[in-house]
Amino acid sequence: MKLLEEILNHNQQFVEEKKYEEFETTKFPNKKMVILTCMDTRLVELLPKALNVKNGDVKIIKNAGALVTHPFGSIMRSILVAVYQLQAKEVFVIGHHDCGMSGMKADAVVSNMKERGITEDALDTVTYSGIAAEEWLKGFENVEDSVSHSVHMVKKHPLMPVDVPVHGLVIHPGTGKLDLVVDGYEA
Protein backbone atom coordinates (compact mmCIF):
# COMPACT_ATOMS: atom_id res chain seq x y z
CA MET A 1 0.00 0.00 0.00
CA LYS A 2 1.30 3.45 -0.89
CA LEU A 3 1.63 6.08 1.84
CA LEU A 4 -1.14 8.32 0.44
CA GLU A 5 -3.58 5.40 0.31
CA GLU A 6 -2.67 4.41 3.86
CA ILE A 7 -3.28 7.96 5.08
CA LEU A 8 -6.60 8.31 3.27
CA ASN A 9 -7.85 4.95 4.58
CA HIS A 10 -6.91 5.90 8.14
CA ASN A 11 -8.51 9.32 7.74
CA GLN A 12 -11.79 7.84 6.55
CA GLN A 13 -11.94 5.62 9.64
CA PHE A 14 -10.86 8.53 11.90
CA VAL A 15 -13.75 10.69 10.64
CA GLU A 16 -16.32 7.87 10.64
CA GLU A 17 -15.49 7.04 14.26
CA LYS A 18 -15.57 10.76 15.20
CA LYS A 19 -12.12 10.57 16.75
CA TYR A 20 -11.72 14.27 15.92
CA GLU A 21 -14.07 15.22 18.76
CA GLU A 22 -11.31 15.04 21.39
CA PHE A 23 -9.35 17.68 19.46
CA GLU A 24 -12.11 20.26 19.06
CA THR A 25 -10.99 23.78 19.98
CA THR A 26 -10.96 27.28 18.51
CA LYS A 27 -8.38 28.95 16.30
CA PHE A 28 -7.23 31.11 19.25
CA PRO A 29 -4.44 29.62 21.41
CA ASN A 30 -5.54 28.99 25.00
CA LYS A 31 -2.06 29.79 26.32
CA LYS A 32 -1.77 32.90 24.13
CA MET A 33 1.56 31.85 22.66
CA VAL A 34 3.17 31.14 19.32
CA ILE A 35 6.13 28.78 18.95
CA LEU A 36 8.66 28.73 16.15
CA THR A 37 10.46 25.40 16.23
CA CYS A 38 12.23 22.94 14.00
CA MET A 39 10.48 20.42 11.79
CA ASP A 40 12.58 17.60 13.30
CA THR A 41 10.63 14.36 13.61
CA ARG A 42 11.76 13.85 17.19
CA LEU A 43 9.89 16.97 18.28
CA VAL A 44 6.44 16.15 16.88
CA GLU A 45 5.13 14.74 20.16
CA LEU A 46 8.06 15.40 22.50
CA LEU A 47 8.00 19.21 22.27
CA PRO A 48 4.32 19.64 23.25
CA LYS A 49 4.69 17.15 26.10
CA ALA A 50 7.89 18.79 27.36
CA LEU A 51 6.16 22.21 27.35
CA ASN A 52 2.84 20.95 28.75
CA VAL A 53 0.85 22.13 25.75
CA LYS A 54 -1.91 20.30 23.98
CA ASN A 55 -4.15 20.80 20.99
CA GLY A 56 -5.65 24.27 21.17
CA ASP A 57 -3.00 25.74 23.48
CA VAL A 58 -0.50 27.23 20.99
CA LYS A 59 0.22 28.22 17.45
CA ILE A 60 3.18 26.20 16.20
CA ILE A 61 5.25 27.26 13.20
CA LYS A 62 7.87 24.82 11.96
CA ASN A 63 10.73 25.06 9.53
CA ALA A 64 14.23 23.67 9.10
CA GLY A 65 16.21 24.82 12.13
CA ALA A 66 13.62 27.15 13.74
CA LEU A 67 15.20 29.95 11.73
CA VAL A 68 13.97 33.43 10.94
CA THR A 69 16.14 34.17 7.93
CA HIS A 70 14.23 37.00 6.32
CA PRO A 71 12.43 39.81 8.14
CA PHE A 72 9.61 39.79 5.59
CA GLY A 73 9.37 36.08 4.85
CA SER A 74 6.58 33.64 5.63
CA ILE A 75 7.88 32.79 9.12
CA MET A 76 7.81 36.39 10.30
CA ARG A 77 4.44 36.94 8.63
CA SER A 78 3.03 33.92 10.48
CA ILE A 79 4.34 35.21 13.82
CA LEU A 80 2.80 38.64 13.19
CA VAL A 81 -0.54 37.08 12.23
CA ALA A 82 -0.47 35.01 15.44
CA VAL A 83 0.13 38.18 17.48
CA TYR A 84 -2.24 40.56 15.71
CA GLN A 85 -5.05 38.26 14.62
CA LEU A 86 -4.93 35.18 16.82
CA GLN A 87 -4.33 36.65 20.29
CA ALA A 88 -0.80 35.33 20.89
CA LYS A 89 0.85 37.41 23.60
CA GLU A 90 4.29 35.71 23.73
CA VAL A 91 6.67 34.22 21.18
CA PHE A 92 8.93 31.22 21.79
CA VAL A 93 11.78 30.32 19.43
CA ILE A 94 12.80 26.75 20.24
CA GLY A 95 15.77 25.17 18.52
CA HIS A 96 17.21 21.79 19.41
CA HIS A 97 20.49 20.02 19.93
CA ASP A 98 21.64 17.67 17.16
CA CYS A 99 19.78 19.67 14.50
CA GLY A 100 20.22 18.73 10.86
CA MET A 101 20.82 22.41 10.07
CA SER A 102 23.80 22.49 12.41
CA GLY A 103 26.91 22.59 10.29
CA MET A 104 24.94 22.14 7.07
CA LYS A 105 26.83 23.41 4.04
CA ALA A 106 25.11 24.72 0.94
CA ASP A 107 27.47 22.92 -1.42
CA ALA A 108 26.37 19.54 -0.02
CA VAL A 109 22.71 20.46 -0.57
CA VAL A 110 23.41 21.66 -4.11
CA SER A 111 25.33 18.45 -4.82
CA ASN A 112 22.33 16.40 -3.64
CA MET A 113 20.06 18.50 -5.83
CA LYS A 114 22.21 17.77 -8.88
CA GLU A 115 22.20 14.05 -8.07
CA ARG A 116 18.39 14.21 -8.10
CA GLY A 117 18.27 15.90 -11.51
CA ILE A 118 18.33 19.62 -10.78
CA THR A 119 20.20 21.26 -13.65
CA GLU A 120 22.79 24.00 -13.62
CA ASP A 121 20.24 26.12 -15.53
CA ALA A 122 17.76 25.77 -12.68
CA LEU A 123 20.43 26.78 -10.18
CA ASP A 124 21.38 29.74 -12.39
CA THR A 125 17.72 30.82 -12.40
CA VAL A 126 17.81 30.94 -8.61
CA THR A 127 20.99 33.02 -8.71
CA TYR A 128 19.60 35.37 -11.39
CA SER A 129 16.48 35.82 -9.21
CA GLY A 130 18.68 37.40 -6.56
CA ILE A 131 19.00 34.39 -4.27
CA ALA A 132 22.50 33.48 -3.13
CA ALA A 133 22.14 29.72 -2.72
CA GLU A 134 25.22 29.51 -0.53
CA GLU A 135 23.49 31.80 1.99
CA TRP A 136 19.93 30.55 1.51
CA LEU A 137 20.83 26.88 1.94
CA LYS A 138 23.44 27.06 4.67
CA GLY A 139 22.83 25.99 8.22
CA PHE A 140 24.34 27.31 11.43
CA GLU A 141 27.32 26.42 13.57
CA ASN A 142 25.88 26.93 17.07
CA VAL A 143 22.24 26.31 18.00
CA GLU A 144 22.24 28.80 20.88
CA ASP A 145 23.60 31.55 18.59
CA SER A 146 21.05 30.63 15.95
CA VAL A 147 18.17 30.83 18.45
CA SER A 148 19.48 34.18 19.73
CA HIS A 149 19.64 35.48 16.16
CA SER A 150 16.05 34.43 15.42
CA VAL A 151 14.84 35.94 18.71
CA HIS A 152 16.56 39.19 17.76
CA MET A 153 14.97 39.16 14.27
CA VAL A 154 11.50 38.77 15.81
CA LYS A 155 11.96 41.17 18.72
CA LYS A 156 13.48 43.95 16.62
CA HIS A 157 11.04 43.61 13.72
CA PRO A 158 9.51 47.02 12.97
CA LEU A 159 5.98 45.57 13.12
CA MET A 160 6.41 43.59 16.36
CA PRO A 161 4.79 45.25 19.38
CA VAL A 162 7.40 46.11 22.03
CA ASP A 163 5.30 44.57 24.80
CA VAL A 164 5.47 41.04 23.33
CA PRO A 165 8.13 38.91 25.07
CA VAL A 166 10.23 36.84 22.68
CA HIS A 167 11.91 33.88 24.38
CA GLY A 168 14.66 31.62 23.08
CA LEU A 169 15.16 28.02 24.17
CA VAL A 170 16.95 24.90 23.06
CA ILE A 171 15.39 21.48 23.64
CA HIS A 172 17.22 18.18 23.90
CA PRO A 173 15.54 15.89 21.30
CA GLY A 174 16.06 12.79 23.44
CA THR A 175 14.97 13.95 26.88
CA GLY A 176 12.89 17.08 26.26
CA LYS A 177 15.07 19.10 28.64
CA LEU A 178 14.85 22.83 27.90
CA ASP A 179 17.82 25.19 28.12
CA LEU A 180 17.01 28.90 28.35
CA VAL A 181 18.90 31.04 25.84
CA VAL A 182 16.92 34.30 25.97
CA ASP A 183 14.44 35.28 28.68
CA GLY A 184 12.02 37.53 26.82
CA TYR A 185 10.84 39.14 30.05
CA GLU A 186 14.31 40.52 30.66
CA ALA A 187 15.34 41.31 27.07
Side-chain angles (χ1 to χ4, degrees):
M1 179 182 316
K2 292 186 177 179
L3 185 57
L4 177 60
E5 184 180 349
E6 180 183 323
I7 288 170
L8 290 173
N9 287 341
H10 171 81
N11 179 258
Q12 181 179 356
Q13 184 178 3
F14 179 87
V15 173
E16 286 172 359
E17 295 174 9
K18 296 185 178 187
K19 291 184 178 179
Y20 55 83
E21 290 176 345
E22 69 179 282
F23 302 104
E24 289 178 347
T25 186
T26 72
K27 65 183 177 181
F28 301 105
N30 296 326
K31 292 194 177 183
K32 309 288 186 215
M33 61 192 284
V34 57
I35 295 171
L36 168 61
T37 194
C38 186
M39 64 185 191
D40 191 287
T41 57
R42 297 169 290 180
L43 303 181
V44 172
E45 292 185 51
L46 177 67
L47 181 79
K49 296 282 191 211
L51 273 62
N52 191 32
V53 297
K54 62 184 183 329
N55 198 57
D57 282 346
V58 302
K59 293 293 181 187
I60 298 180
I61 303 164
K62 292 187 171 200
N63 72 358
L67 298 170
V68 179
T69 56
H70 193 286
F72 298 100
S74 64
I75 297 300
M76 196 62 225
R77 181 184 61 222
S78 296
I79 292 169
L80 291 169
V81 167
V83 169
Y84 284 107
Q85 293 299 115
L86 301 171
Q87 303 173 359
K89 305 250 185 261
E90 299 192 32
V91 178
F92 290 74
V93 177
I94 305 175
H96 67 95
H97 298 289
D98 189 35
C99 184
M101 292 294 285
S102 180
M104 190 176 84
K105 306 290 185 224
D107 55 346
V109 179
V110 170
S111 177
N112 288 338
M113 289 176 174
K114 289 178 180 177
E115 288 174 14
R116 304 253 332 245
I118 301 301
T119 65
E120 207 56 57
D121 284 345
L123 293 167
D124 287 344
T125 299
V126 171
T127 301
Y128 298 144
S129 298
I131 304 298
E134 60 278 355
E135 286 300 311
W136 186 56
L137 295 173
K138 78 174 183 178
F140 52 81
E141 295 304 317
N142 179 289
V143 68
E144 290 86 0
D145 291 346
S146 176
V147 166
S148 290
H149 174 76
S150 289
V151 166
H152 181 78
M153 293 276 287
V154 174
K155 186 66 181 169
K156 299 300 182 186
H157 194 279
L159 301 178
M160 180 59 63
V162 295
D163 64 337
V164 173
V166 182
H167 311 286
L169 300 107
V170 176
I171 189 169
H172 188 285
T175 65
K177 181 185 181 301
L178 291 169
D179 298 317
L180 183 62
V181 176
V182 177
D183 181 338
Y185 301 129
E186 295 178 1

